[in-house]
Amino acid sequence: AHTLFPLYSSFVHPDITEHAKHDLLTDCRHSAEVQLGKAASKVKSPHYLRYCPLCIGAQVKQYGEAFWARRWQLPGLSVCAE
Ligand SMILES: [Zn+2]
């Protein structure tokens, strides 16, 4: 099964992570997701995938294909650093 657990567990408190892991293992998925969602909402980070159309254009020109770059997802940035 595919879950977001590895992603969330990197920045939630260990106690919450342990409890959530237990919930996931005991198949109380809903409870775990509510708890992790609460913790995750404290992290100031864009919750959608961002990209820069100018960089996409440059990538296609240079490499023949476009790929997602980490710099577009940096919190607090409203413009591409490139
Ligand atoms: Zn750019």
Side-chain angles (χ1 to χ4, degrees):
H2 187 81
T3 76
L4 289 171
F5 186 74
L7 182 72
Y8 283 136
S9 61
S10 60
F11 52 68
V12 294
H13 192 275
D15 287 350
I16 300 171
T17 309
E18 278 310 306
H19 190 82
K21 203 184 285 172
H22 176 77
D23 281 353
L24 286 171
L25 289 174
T26 54
D27 208 25
C28 297
R29 244 193 99 166
H30 182 71
S31 154
E33 278 175 1
V34 167
Q35 212 163 23
L36 286 169
K38 236 176 178 176
S41 69
K42 287 175 190 160
V43 180
K44 286 191 169 56
S45 171
H47 55 275
Y48 50 89
L49 221 54
R50 302 193 298 187
Y51 71 97
C52 169
L54 291 179
C55 286
I56 295 278
Q59 285 172 354
V60 172
K61 213 169 166 183
Q62 190 173 356
Y63 307 106
E65 60 182 347
F67 46 88
W68 184 79
R70 183 173 268 272
R71 67 174 176 275
W72 301 329
Q73 205 63 25
L74 295 174
L77 272 186
S78 57
V79 293
C80 173
E82 292 279 301

